Amino acid sequence: MKFWLYYAVGIVGIVIISVVPFIIQDGNLQDSFSIIWKMCIQLVNPEYWVFIYKDNPEPIFSFLWGPFLYSMQLLGSALFIGFSLAFILAFLVKRSPSAVRRSVQVFLNVFETVPDILFAYGLQLLVVYAYQKFGMELFGIATTGDDSRIYLAPILTIAIVPFISMFRLVLIEIEVEEQKPYVQLAKGKGIHLNLIYIKHMLRNILPIAMYHSKVIVWASLSSLFVISRIFNIFGITYYMTLDFRPMSIACSLIMIFTPFYILYSLADKYIERNVNMGVASSSVEEPSPFKRKSLHLTSGLKELLFTLLRVLHPNRWLSVCKKLIISLSRHMRNGKFAAGSLFLFCLFMYSLYLSYLAKTPIDQVRFRKGEDGGITGGPPHPPGMPFLLGSDRYGFSIADQIIVGAKYTLLVAFVVALLRVGIGFLFGIGYAFFLNSKFQEVVKKLTDPLHFLPLSVVAYILLKPIIFPATRPDIWTYGFFSRMGLEVLILTILVIPLTTVLVGNEIRSIQEKEFIQNAKTLGASSGRILGVHIMPHLWTRLFLLFGRQFNQVLIILLHLGVFNLFFGGTIQEKYDNPPRSVTNEWAGLIGANKDHIYSGKYWMVVWPLLAFMVTIFAMQLIVKGVEEVQYKKLGAPQAKPKQRKNNPSLPATKEAHNQDEFQFKYPYHF
């Protein structure tokens, strides 16, 4: 019953997603319930299960079955290759010398900043270069019709995200398992280390990897959506954009959602049964802290509201601001944090200066002239003269467009990430304090289906009627600021359930510490436990979550740019010219010029992609700097420098603190 109940909840969510674009496009919220009800009636009536293809109605499930299988073959192969390589290489790297492990860590940090789109374009350019240079075609880089198929290029590109994420997770779990007593006992008995890895450690790592693979699959589904567009693959996501009706959208999402829901539901049940086997369950459940005095719903809500007001009271802001300034000054002493934060701050400020104070924000040169005054060339100008990074097809400087669009790109990523973490924090307090374990399990089960709906696909469905012009190429349903506000709102709401559960679980993990239990025993109120004991440990974790959300928003903007959904609005040009961005944000520059990369005008796409990479790398430096400052604050042991052979090692002057107070085990790839 639970299986079918949660599945039904997922279907209802898909139905709502499929009709929301048309409610937004009409701007009439009063008829929303009637539209949703009408859609539900159509779903249970097979007469409406049709797909309009070239003005002809086709049975929707039979028509989409072939493209669906093709997409699942690509995704399944990519996940299998990525996960398999991650496990194999993680064990090999763990057996390697420390110098090799450090090199791999540096390589991964750089590799993570490279968007999947850049890999796709890089593979295509490599095949084109090999064909032009040597006359050989390495592999297919695009399909030419409904019946043509390519596999190697999209599989290799999609496999990058699963490989990196799972590789990091397995490395961390191997380190955790190596510290457990059974590994030390096995080593003491003389069992070979490879046998310990395969027979014992792998069996304990697989359930954890299975659980965290949901987030990896979620990211891979979004990657499949955009990679299919780049390689011109006629998969399920391609046909979803052809027939943009609620029925077609709903059926396509249901086909994607169902197999992953069934697979992970069975896997969760299997893992839960094996983990709980032999463990006695208690029939008495300890009430949550907010229900300690009363189990009534009203009193619990009152105490929750009182705690939130106490945490957010204006009288606390002066003290909070003072602590933030002190914390910022301490973090600025870290080189990584200082380099990343100063780069983003200076880039944003220079973008504001060039946009509003410069006489000509974006320079334009239509024709290049030689020394004799004659015309030597026209746009697009290559890198060099007259512009360092070249120009677009209209002669506008690429460098100026990147700087001017930086303020919108950075601002939307910052605001959306801040809202996701802030709202998730407020809801997470209620999740951790107000709900008991049974209701928490229900909330987690209800949010799990979100992992099986591609975020980029859902964002595309909801944002298309807002960003694309409604009638003429320059007339939209909503104004400029309304378009920006709605996009920020939609990108925020889509991830709020997941950040709520994530922050709530972080609070719950801190509540299990011994000092929290002692505070409860001494009679500390829930508000004091939250504000005095939990928040000092939670602030840094929230900031790390913010950094990862910031990078995820950049990737989503990049994916939407490939589909010509530009932040602030898309201007549809006349005479089949590529669309333009209203704001010159970076995804708009890539989407507007993406077709020029095949004609040798690589600079119009590569430089905005590099801007994305550098920005993601800067945020990773900030996150790494915060981790190092926190570890240093807690006295975690750092890597010791090599000492000369004739100098004996000196004893430590400070006793290492317990790292369990602040331990980041798993990366957040939302």
Side-chain angles (χ1 to χ4, degrees):
M1 289 299 296
K2 290 182 179 179
F3 174 86
W4 292 111
L5 176 62
Y6 293 134
Y7 181 75
V9 171
I11 298 300
V12 171
I14 290 175
V15 171
I16 294 174
I17 290 173
S18 64
V19 301
V20 163
F22 302 91
I23 297 174
I24 295 175
Q25 190 171 16
D26 295 337
N28 188 1
L29 298 179
Q30 297 178 353
D31 298 335
S32 57
F33 290 104
S34 62
I35 296 176
I36 295 174
W37 178 251
K38 181 180 179 181
M39 180 62 191
C40 293
I41 294 176
Q42 293 179 356
L43 277 178
V44 298
N45 190 348
E47 295 180 0
Y48 295 96
W49 296 356
V50 294
F51 186 92
I52 306 301
Y53 182 66
K54 296 181 179 180
D55 298 329
N56 295 321
E58 301 284 349
I60 190 165
F61 289 107
S62 60
F63 181 81
L64 294 178
W65 183 249
F68 168 75
L69 287 181
Y70 180 34
S71 296
M72 291 301 105
Q73 288 173 356
L74 297 178
L75 182 61
S77 302
L79 292 174
F80 176 77
I81 293 174
F83 290 162
S84 302
L85 288 178
F87 275 91
I88 295 172
L89 292 181
F91 285 119
L92 293 177
V93 169
K94 195 61 184 175
R95 298 293 306 275
S96 303
S98 58
V100 175
R101 293 198 296 268
R102 287 194 297 267
S103 301
V104 170
Q105 186 67 31
V106 173
F107 175 76
L108 283 178
N109 291 335
V110 177
F111 206 62
E112 270 189 323
T113 64
V114 183
D116 48 7
I117 294 176
L118 185 58
F119 284 109
Y121 285 136
L123 281 177
Q124 290 180 332
L125 292 177
L126 176 63
V127 171
V128 172
Y129 176 79
Y131 183 79
Q132 293 177 345
K133 192 73 174 178
F134 307 105
M136 56 182 296
E137 183 178 354
L138 299 178
F139 44 80
I141 58 174
T143 60
T144 57
D146 295 358
D147 298 329
S148 63
R149 298 284 189 269
I150 61 171
Y151 291 94
L152 184 59
I155 287 175
L156 291 178
T157 307
I158 299 171
I160 293 171
V161 173
F163 167 70
I164 295 177
S165 303
M166 187 59 68
F167 182 76
R168 283 188 176 278
L169 177 64
V170 175
L171 277 180
I172 294 173
E173 285 303 318
I174 290 176
E175 295 178 357
V176 173
E177 292 295 320
E178 284 181 341
Q179 305 302 320
K180 293 184 177 180
Y182 77 90
V183 176
Q184 306 301 326
L185 178 62
K187 290 180 180 179
K189 288 186 175 182
I191 301 177
H192 197 273
L193 195 57
N194 291 336
L195 184 60
I196 298 175
Y197 282 149
I198 297 174
K199 189 174 181 180
H200 300 285
M201 297 176 64
L202 184 61
R203 185 166 54 185
N204 294 335
I205 293 175
L206 281 176
I208 300 175
M210 185 68 182
Y211 177 78
H212 288 275
S213 65
K214 293 178 183 179
V215 180
I216 302 175
V217 170
W218 188 39
S220 301
L221 285 170
S222 295
S223 182
L224 172 67
F225 180 56
V226 68
I227 295 304
S228 299
R229 181 63 172 263
I230 294 176
F231 289 109
N232 196 36
I233 293 173
F234 295 88
I236 183 68
T237 56
Y238 167 79
Y239 288 99
M240 187 187 305
T241 59
L242 284 186
D243 186 9
F244 203 73
R245 296 180 302 117
M247 177 59 67
S248 302
I249 295 173
C251 292
S252 302
L253 290 178
I254 289 173
M255 294 180 72
I256 297 174
F257 167 77
T258 301
F260 289 103
Y261 175 80
I262 296 174
L263 174 64
Y264 277 97
S265 296
L266 296 177
D268 289 343
K269 183 62 66 176
Y270 175 78
I271 294 173
E272 181 182 353
R273 184 177 61 184
N274 287 339
V275 170
N276 295 334
M277 187 176 297
V279 179
S281 60
S282 175
S283 60
V284 180
E285 183 182 353
E286 181 185 357
S288 65
F290 277 103
K291 295 184 178 182
R292 186 171 57 229
K293 297 180 181 179
S294 174
L295 294 177
H296 293 293
L297 180 63
T298 305
S299 60
L301 288 174
K302 287 181 179 179
E303 192 169 354
L304 174 61
L305 181 60
F306 174 76
T307 302
L308 292 177
L309 292 176
R310 181 174 179 177
V311 173
L312 303 177
H313 196 277
N315 293 337
R316 298 177 58 91
W317 285 112
L318 184 60
S319 175
V320 171
C321 292
K322 182 179 179 180
K323 291 180 180 179
L324 287 177
I325 294 174
I326 296 175
S327 177
L328 180 62
S329 63
R330 184 173 64 248
H331 283 78
M332 289 300 292
R333 298 170 191 169
N334 182 277
K336 296 177 181 179
F337 181 89
S341 57
L342 287 176
F343 170 78
L344 295 180
F345 178 77
C346 293
L347 178 62
F348 181 75
M349 296 306 296
Y350 185 50
S351 177
L352 292 178
Y353 165 77
L354 192 64
S355 301
Y356 301 113
L357 299 179
K359 187 175 181 180
T360 54
I362 303 177
D363 291 334
Q364 182 185 25
V365 174
R366 293 191 175 276
F367 298 101
R368 302 192 304 272
K369 296 183 179 180
E371 297 179 355
D372 57 353
I375 297 176
T376 59
H381 308 298
M385 295 296 293
F387 303 118
L388 178 63
L389 303 184
S391 74
D392 62 4
R393 61 188 178 277
Y394 299 111
F396 290 103
S397 170
I398 294 293
D400 290 344
Q401 292 183 63
I402 291 175
I403 298 299
V404 170
K407 62 182 182 295
Y408 291 106
T409 306
L410 298 179
L411 189 61
V412 66
F414 179 85
V415 172
V416 172
L418 185 64
L419 290 175
R420 286 179 177 181
V421 176
I423 299 175
F425 164 68
L426 296 178
F427 289 165
I429 293 175
Y431 171 88
F433 281 91
F434 182 65
L435 300 180
N436 56 32
S437 59
K438 291 183 179 179
F439 281 102
Q440 288 176 358
E441 187 65 24
V442 171
V443 172
K444 286 194 292 186
K445 289 292 185 180
L446 292 177
T447 57
D448 265 351
L450 292 176
H451 292 114
F452 315 132
L453 295 177
L455 182 59
S456 297
V457 176
V458 177
Y460 171 84
I461 292 171
L462 298 179
L463 291 174
K464 184 178 180 181
I466 298 173
I467 293 178
F468 269 95
T471 53
R472 287 176 17 194
D474 56 347
I475 296 180
W476 293 268
T477 304
Y478 299 91
F480 176 68
F481 292 103
S482 298
R483 294 195 301 271
M484 292 195 299
L486 287 173
E487 182 166 357
V488 168
L489 180 63
I490 290 173
L491 293 179
T492 301
I493 292 177
L494 291 177
V495 188
I496 287 298
L498 298 176
T499 55
T500 297
V501 174
L502 182 61
V503 175
N505 289 334
E506 289 286 351
I507 296 176
R508 293 284 292 181
S509 66
I510 299 174
Q511 284 179 330
E512 296 174 358
K513 303 298 181 182
E514 185 177 355
F515 67 92
I516 298 292
Q517 302 301 323
N518 294 336
K520 293 179 182 178
T521 304
L522 294 174
S525 64
S526 301
R528 182 171 181 81
I529 290 175
L530 177 63
V532 177
H533 300 288
I534 293 179
M535 290 310 301
H537 296 269
L538 190 63
W539 279 122
T540 306
R541 304 189 189 191
L542 291 177
F543 183 82
L544 298 181
L545 178 60
F546 166 81
R548 294 179 176 101
Q549 291 295 320
F550 180 91
N551 288 341
Q552 191 221 30
V553 175
L554 292 178
I555 297 299
I556 295 300
L557 291 177
L558 188 57
H559 287 180
L560 294 176
V562 174
F563 290 87
N564 298 329
L565 294 182
F566 308 144
F567 181 71
T570 301
I571 300 177
Q572 295 281 11
E573 294 284 3
K574 300 179 180 179
Y575 311 112
D576 295 330
N577 286 327
R580 291 188 296 111
S581 172
V582 174
T583 58
N584 286 318
E585 50 93 17
W586 296 345
L589 298 180
I590 296 172
N593 301 312
K594 61 181 182 295
D595 294 334
H596 290 277
I597 196 171
Y598 307 114
S599 60
K601 313 300 191 299
Y602 64 90
W603 61 86
M604 295 197 292
V605 177
V606 169
W607 298 125
L609 278 173
L610 289 178
F612 270 106
M613 288 178 54
V614 174
T615 302
I616 294 173
F617 184 71
M619 182 54 70
Q620 286 184 342
L621 286 178
I622 296 174
V623 170
K624 189 64 177 177
V626 171
E627 289 180 341
E628 291 179 355
V629 170
Q630 185 65 22
Y631 281 133
K632 184 177 180 181
K633 178 181 177 182
L634 295 173
Q638 302 292 326
K640 297 180 179 179
K642 293 183 179 180
Q643 299 180 359
R644 297 181 180 179
K645 294 182 180 180
N646 56 355
N647 289 342
S649 58
L650 299 177
T653 58
K654 293 184 179 181
E655 189 181 60
H657 293 269
N658 187 3
Q659 294 186 52
D660 290 339
E661 297 295 331
F662 193 86
Q663 185 177 14
F664 299 95
K665 288 187 63 177
Y666 308 114
Y668 306 118
H669 293 283
F670 289 117

